[in-house]
Amino acid sequence: MINTLLFDFGDIFVNLRKEATHKAFEQLGLKTFTPDLDELNRAFEVGALSELQFLEGFQKHLPGSDLQTIRAAWNEIIGEFPLYRLEFLQLLKPKYRLFLLSNTDAIHIAHFEQKVGLSFARDFYNCFEKVYFSYEMGLRKPDPSCFKTVLSRHDLQPKNTLFIDDKKENTAAAAALGISIWHLQVGQEDVVELLDKKIL
């Protein structure tokens, strides 16, 4: 019986505008994300780089852009957070143990909180027993250690835990540990359909 829900964040609760970010960087002169920029992102997501180091890493590819402009382009990805999803979480809170597990970075989280407002962000965070951001954990999905950390810290049983994420590699890693999964199809499904899925 499922008694614990472990949620991803991006494209589960807050909408991501990936094309908007790519377009913003193209306008600055960056045509493609190179392997070293992908590695820069991964390092920033596990807290291995400071915000300044991360932005300066991008600036090497965009010498004509200042750090504030680069930060703004990076934040274009953060879209809207529909209120109905927060209300859905608040309905779940009395019935399940809720946790958030997100691959994200300090810049995106600060922008999210500024965008929705501190009151909304606080209400969102308060739905969870614990919020896990990769840049604070020093781990990112699909590393099995991410899931093992959450399970062990809160004495959770994999068979009683449902993990919801939009990336196949993440749900596959969770499933390999015996965790129940919902690989949510962005654009076709919404997290509020959870109770209709008959997987709880």
Side-chain angles (χ1 to χ4, degrees):
M1 181 179 176
I2 301 297
N3 59 23
T4 302
L5 302 176
L6 178 60
F7 293 96
D8 179 32
F9 182 34
D11 270 339
I12 301 298
F13 294 112
V14 66
N15 295 327
L16 298 184
R17 308 180 328 134
K18 297 171 187 175
E19 288 305 313
T21 288
H22 286 300
K23 184 176 180 181
F25 277 115
E26 282 180 1
Q27 291 174 341
L28 296 180
L30 184 68
K31 300 306 180 187
T32 184
F33 274 60
T34 59
D36 64 314
L37 285 176
D38 288 336
E39 182 53 40
L40 191 75
N41 179 32
R42 283 191 290 270
F44 191 39
E45 280 192 343
V46 295
L49 298 176
S50 68
E51 180 177 327
L52 181 60
Q53 289 172 318
F54 174 72
L55 293 173
E56 287 180 340
F58 258 94
Q59 195 175 40
K60 291 176 183 176
H61 294 261
L62 299 166
S65 300
D66 60 38
L67 299 184
Q68 192 60 37
T69 300
I70 294 170
R71 181 190 287 106
W74 185 245
N75 279 330
E76 278 293 318
I77 195 171
I78 304 297
E80 299 304 313
F81 188 137
L83 176 62
Y84 70 85
R85 290 183 184 151
L86 173 61
E87 292 171 340
F88 173 69
L89 262 183
Q90 291 170 331
L91 289 175
L92 291 177
K93 185 179 178 182
K95 304 172 185 176
Y96 299 93
R97 298 181 70 183
L98 306 181
F99 297 88
L100 193 71
L101 179 62
S102 174
N103 288 351
T104 190
D105 60 66
I107 293 177
H108 281 161
I109 292 304
H111 182 67
F112 157 71
E113 292 174 354
Q114 181 274 328
K115 186 180 178 79
V116 302
L118 289 180
S119 177
F120 187 101
R122 183 173 60 249
D123 288 346
F124 173 61
Y125 295 148
N126 283 344
C127 289
F128 302 100
E129 194 169 319
K130 177 70 176 175
V131 170
Y132 287 98
F133 291 138
S134 59
Y135 75 94
E136 295 174 332
M137 291 182 79
L139 297 167
R140 68 192 298 279
K141 300 170 293 185
D143 186 339
S145 296
C146 271
F147 304 101
K148 291 178 180 178
T149 295
V150 177
L151 293 173
S152 64
R153 284 185 183 175
H154 302 281
D155 195 25
L156 306 178
Q157 298 301 314
K159 65 180 180 180
N160 298 330
T161 303
L162 175 66
F163 173 57
I164 300 100
D165 196 292
D166 64 302
K167 290 187 170 58
K168 184 67 175 177
E169 62 268 28
N170 295 340
T171 54
L177 297 173
I179 299 171
S180 298
I181 60 166
W182 175 18
H183 176 214
L184 186 146
Q185 307 296 310
V186 179
Q188 301 174 38
E189 299 175 308
D190 194 295
V191 70
V192 299
E193 298 167 20
L194 176 62
L195 299 179
D196 301 328
K197 292 290 178 180
K198 296 182 171 48
I199 49 180
L200 291 180

